[in-house]
Amino acid sequence: MNTISIDLGGSRVKMGVVSDGKIVTSAMIESNSQAGLQPLLPKLEEVCKDWIKEYFIEAAGFAFPSLVDAKNKKILGHNGKYPDCAEVDLKSWTREKLGLSMVIENDANAAALGEGKYGSAAGCENFVLMILGTGIGTAAVMDGKLIRGKHSQAGVLLGHTPLKVNGRPCAGCPGIGCAEAQASTWALKHMVEESPKQSPLKKEKQIDFQVLQRYWEQNDPLAIELFEECCAYWANCLITLVYAYDPELIVLSGGVLGWGPALTERMIGIVKERVWTPWGEPAFRLAADPEASVLLGLHALCENEMKESL
């Protein structure tokens, strides 16, 4: 089965043709998500129609960086990304412009489906996923099934677990002091600005984890402090996932992991020090291919829907 997978990210859209669990070809375009979803559709249509001519495409899948109703194929809300999303009927657009049926899923849920079927969680029926990117994405699979909940938000909002009373206001939820507000790529510049420690890091125009790592490797006190702070918050978020879903495996993904083993080992070490699991320790694995897991998960979702319709 050949499908088109479209991952609607905040800054870029990753697209690909997936055939029987393998990405055949891919493309990437700027999303300019603050301008809305409607202006992006002609660009998506152009890429998709070229692929439809070249490949026998049977369905399309969309991943969205917020809450969606996968059953009714509707976007339920946004966090400043694609603010016009409620006005766009992607199901009708896909049928009318591309002649295809479609599926839609939260991006972290899609990543979990991809890792569960084709990636580092293949063969595991109880696992959780945490993605460290611009923000924090989470998902949970129990007894081989993706957890969704009554309102399609189960498992995907653990990055917004309140962890600090009177903490930093979140850019992605109404909360204060949630995990993402205290430690994420978008929050990093605020962490640097608010620290009383003096450091040349404060003079950087753009601050991300690549920049932070450079200073950390130079033993900059502020960089060391923020590294430890982030790892601790992320570990607490993982502990919450363990207590909520009792997984046998924890999958870690996202661009922040490009830091390397020092970051993942520190984060995992804190989890093992603090988590209470009398049965033993959950296993940890890195995503097999963080850039591919969402696209593969959408492909799996298309396959499942096709089977159910037969």
Side-chain angles (χ1 to χ4, degrees):
M1 181 178 184
N2 294 344
T3 65
I4 292 175
S5 293
I6 302 172
D7 182 6
L8 296 164
S11 58
R12 57 183 183 164
V13 178
K14 288 176 281 187
M15 307 172 64
V17 173
V18 187
S19 178
D20 298 325
K22 295 182 180 179
I23 298 175
V24 177
T25 187
S26 61
M28 191 176 297
I29 60 177
E30 294 297 314
S31 64
N32 192 21
S33 62
Q34 293 182 343
L37 185 55
Q38 191 69 47
L40 186 62
L41 294 180
K43 298 177 183 178
L44 300 182
E45 181 181 353
E46 183 179 356
V47 176
C48 290
K49 283 190 172 178
D50 285 343
W51 285 342
I52 290 170
K53 290 177 184 176
E54 186 173 354
Y55 304 94
F56 178 67
I57 304 295
E58 298 179 66
F62 294 84
F64 193 74
S66 189
L67 299 178
V68 305
D69 180 347
K71 182 178 180 181
N72 294 306
K73 303 180 181 180
K74 294 181 178 180
I75 298 171
L76 298 177
H78 67 88
N79 297 321
K81 301 169 184 175
Y82 307 105
D84 63 346
C85 60
E87 304 161 18
V88 179
D89 185 347
L90 275 178
K91 181 180 178 180
S92 295
W93 178 86
T94 307
R95 184 177 60 250
E96 293 168 6
K97 297 294 185 180
L98 305 180
L100 299 173
S101 62
M102 62 84 79
V103 297
I104 189 167
E105 186 55 271
N106 165 270
D107 53 0
N109 275 346
L113 290 171
E115 291 299 322
K117 186 162 185 178
Y118 304 108
S120 57
C124 181
E125 292 201 334
N126 294 275
F127 70 93
V128 294
L129 171 87
M130 184 167 82
I131 303 172
L132 297 176
T134 302
I136 299 175
T138 60
V141 172
M142 297 178 69
D143 298 326
K145 295 182 179 180
L146 192 67
I147 297 300
R148 300 185 192 277
K150 176 66 175 177
H151 305 100
S152 302
Q153 66 181 54
V156 299
L157 295 179
L158 273 291
H160 294 284
T161 303
L163 296 180
K164 184 176 182 179
V165 177
N166 298 322
R168 189 175 295 112
C170 184
C173 79
I176 293 176
C178 66
E180 183 173 307
Q182 296 305 129
S184 67
T185 300
W186 71 259
L188 191 55
K189 65 178 181 179
H190 301 295
M191 299 171 72
V192 171
E193 291 169 357
E194 294 166 10
S195 174
K197 276 191 168 64
Q198 295 304 310
S199 165
L201 178 57
K202 292 192 171 187
K203 297 180 181 179
E204 293 284 345
K205 292 182 179 179
Q206 276 194 316
I207 299 175
D208 57 21
F209 282 96
Q210 287 183 326
V211 173
L212 185 70
Q213 183 176 13
R214 189 168 73 245
Y215 282 86
W216 178 82
E217 289 171 347
Q218 297 169 6
N219 292 316
D220 178 83
L222 176 56
I224 291 172
E225 177 184 270
L226 296 184
F227 170 82
E228 291 293 329
E229 187 175 342
C230 286
C231 287
Y233 275 116
W234 294 333
N236 285 345
C237 191
L238 288 173
I239 290 169
T240 303
L241 281 165
V242 170
Y243 290 159
Y245 300 110
D246 188 24
E248 59 184 296
L249 173 66
I250 296 172
V251 178
L252 301 173
S253 185
V256 174
L257 300 189
W259 187 296
L263 185 145
T264 50
E265 289 173 6
R266 181 60 181 140
M267 182 167 50
I268 292 169
I270 296 172
V271 173
K272 291 183 177 180
E273 288 171 10
R274 299 179 183 177
V275 72
W276 189 59
T277 49
W279 48 267
E281 293 181 346
F284 287 84
R285 291 180 194 163
L286 302 186
D289 184 351
E291 292 294 323
S293 55
V294 171
L295 302 185
L296 294 176
L298 293 173
H299 177 70
L301 202 59
C302 286
E303 285 186 324
N304 291 341
E305 181 158 296
M306 186 69 72
K307 289 177 183 176
E308 289 175 1
S309 66
L310 295 176

